[in-house]
Amino acid sequence: MTEPLVLGIESTCDETGVALVRGRELLADVTATSMDEYARFGGIIPEIASRAHTEAFVPTLNAALERAGVGLADVDAIAVAAGPGLIGSLTVGTAAAKALALATGKPLYGVNHIIGHVAVDELVDGPFPEHFVALVVSGGHSSLLDVTDIATGVTELGSTLDDAAGEAFDKVGRLLGLPYPGGPHIDRLSQQGDPAAIHFPRGLTSARDRLRHPYDFSFSGLKTAVARHVEALQDAGAAIPTADIAASFSEAVNDVLTRKALDAAVSRGADTLVIGGGFSANSRLRALAQERAAEYGITVRIPPIRYCTDNGAMIAALGSALVRAGRPESGLDFANVSGMDLSTTYVAPAAAA
Ligand code: KG4
Ligand code: ZN
C-alpha cells in the first residue's frame, strides 16, 4: 500500500505555504510571503498579512499541486496550522482548509505550527529516533521539548519567560539601526565581529536559576544590557562597534540556547537533539550546537535553512505523522488557537481529547 498523501497549509504569520507530502517524502513546497511589505513599518501588520494570505492562497495551492503532479482528489488528508499565530492570518488558512475538506470529503487536521517546525526534519533527515529533545526557536517561541513520538508524545520541558530568541534579535536589530527583521542582519553582521568583545549577561544560568528554571530562557535582561551599552557609548560620543556588539549579543543568546538544550538531552537520556524554527537559520547556533553536541556524543539534526522559516512542508509533515499514528481528524468545527500550548500536537476532536 502506498503511504498517505497529505496536503499541508501554513498561514500563521506572513508566509502562505502549501506543500504535499507522501509519507515522509516531500513532493512539493511552495511559499508566498508578504514580508517585503513590512520593512518600512518595522514589524508585521496583521491586516496586511491577512489580506496577502487571501490573495496568495489559491495561486500557491495550484502551484503546489502542479509541482507535485497531483490533483485535490488524490489527497488523503489535509493538515492546516491551527495555531499559535496571528488570528487573522490563521483564519484565512483554516477557513480555506475547511472549505477544501468539505468540498473533497477528506479528513482535516488542525496542527500545532511550532511542533511542525520539528516535524519537518523527518522529511530531510529521515525517521526520528524513539526519543529525542527538540529546541524550537522562532520569532515568538524559544522552547525545549521532550519527544517520544512527534504525533502523540510531545512534552514541553521549558520555554522563554519573556522574549523569544528571534524577537530579541529583531529588537536588538532595531537598536543597531538594521532593517526589519533584524535576525538575519545581526547574523551576517556578527560574522565580522568579535564574540568576546563584550560580555553580555546569560539569563537564567546562575546556579540558583538553573535549579528553578533548568530549561527556561530569559532574553529581555540581555536585550536591556545591549541597549544600555549602546546608550553609554552614545552619551560618551564614542563610535558604536556594531559588528562587535552583534557578535557578543549573538554569542550570549546562542551560548544559553545550546547549553540548556544539551543539558536537557543529557539529563533526559536522549542521544539526539533536533533544532527547528526560523531562528535555527542562525549560523552561530548551527555551528555551536554541532560543536558542543560532539563533546557529549549527541547527534544534532537541523533542517536546511529553507525549511527553518515558515513553510507548508512542516505542516504536511506533522499531518502525515498524525495520519500514520492513526489519530482521529480534528473535524470541521475547531477554532483557531492563537496561543496553542506545546504539549498539544493538534486539535483533537472533543471525544478523543
Ligand atoms: O519561525 P519563524 O519563521 O516565524 C515564527 O513562527 O515566528 O521565525 C522568524 C524569526 C524572526 O525573529 C527572524 O528574525 C528570525 O526568525 N531569524 C533569524 C535568522 N533568520 C530568521 N534570527 C537569527 N539569525 C538568522 N539567520
Ligand atoms: Zn514559525
Side-chain angles (χ1 to χ4, degrees):
M1 204 185 85
T2 59
E3 299 225 56
L5 178 65
V6 178
L7 174 73
I9 298 168
E10 155 62 28
S11 77
T12 58
C13 192
D14 59 293
E15 268 103 8
T16 313
V18 180
L20 286 133
V21 162
R22 190 183 294 284
R24 292 183 180 87
E25 185 195 353
L26 180 62
L27 304 182
D29 181 38
V30 181
T31 309
T33 177
S34 54
M35 183 52 90
D36 301 347
E37 304 198 30
Y38 308 122
R40 64 196 162 109
F41 299 111
I44 287 170
I45 309 292
E47 279 80 359
I48 297 180
S50 307
R51 199 183 57 193
H53 285 304
T54 309
E55 217 177 324
F57 179 72
V58 172
T60 308
L61 170 68
N62 284 338
L65 290 169
E66 195 182 321
R67 205 163 293 176
V70 300
L72 273 179
D74 302 320
V75 167
D76 296 306
I78 301 171
V80 62
L86 301 171
I87 204 75
S89 288
L90 284 168
T91 300
V92 178
T94 53
K98 286 180 183 188
L100 286 177
L102 183 67
T104 58
K106 307 296 175 171
L108 179 65
Y109 292 80
V111 313
N112 190 320
H113 169 90
I114 296 297
I115 296 169
H117 273 303
V118 181
V120 72
D121 184 62
E122 270 202 309
L123 306 181
V124 183
D125 292 320
F128 285 133
E130 272 178 22
H131 178 212
F132 62 95
V133 162
L135 169 67
V136 198
V137 268
S138 70
H141 286 76
S142 298
S143 302
L144 281 165
L145 311 174
D146 182 278
V147 186
T148 49
D149 184 315
I150 196 65
T152 59
V154 178
T155 309
E156 185 171 12
L157 299 173
S159 68
T160 180
L161 305 183
D162 38 60
D163 291 346
E167 193 178 358
F169 264 57
D170 294 342
K171 288 178 178 170
V172 167
R174 190 176 313 168
L175 203 83
L176 296 180
L178 301 170
Y180 177 84
H185 295 282
I186 295 206
D187 189 1
R188 233 167 291 137
L189 191 59
S190 62
Q191 290 167 32
Q192 295 147 32
D194 175 6
I198 307 143
H199 186 82
F200 285 126
R202 271 68 169 155
L204 299 184
T205 56
S206 70
R208 190 161 159 264
D209 282 340
R210 284 176 75 182
L211 276 178
R212 288 178 55 212
H213 296 285
Y215 308 129
D216 291 324
F217 302 102
S218 167
F219 297 114
S220 87
L222 167 61
K223 178 192 68 194
T224 308
V226 177
R228 295 281 167 276
H229 186 82
V230 171
E231 275 165 25
L233 289 170
Q234 280 167 339
D235 290 349
I240 311 289
T242 47
D244 283 350
I245 294 174
S248 302
F249 161 72
S250 170
E251 197 64 15
V253 170
N254 288 313
D255 180 21
V256 179
L257 287 174
T258 52
R259 232 193 296 167
K260 292 209 171 196
L262 287 164
D263 278 355
V266 169
S267 65
R268 308 289 298 186
D271 63 5
T272 302
L273 170 66
V274 177
I275 307 184
F279 185 86
S280 60
N282 185 265
S283 60
R284 186 61 184 142
L285 174 65
R286 298 172 88 91
L288 197 57
Q290 296 288 2
E291 189 184 308
R292 291 190 169 166
E295 291 167 22
Y296 294 95
I298 287 175
T299 303
V300 179
R301 298 174 35 149
I302 316 179
I305 288 172
R306 68 179 183 284
Y307 301 124
C308 291
T309 48
D310 295 347
N311 60 75
M314 56 192 263
I315 305 305
L318 182 50
S320 177
L322 286 158
V323 172
R324 292 196 307 269
R327 297 295 294 152
E329 61 160 323
S330 304
L332 294 180
D333 57 358
F334 65 88
N336 303 324
V337 198
S338 57
M340 204 163 187
D341 87 81
L342 297 193
S343 299
T344 304
T345 57
Y346 84 117
V347 186

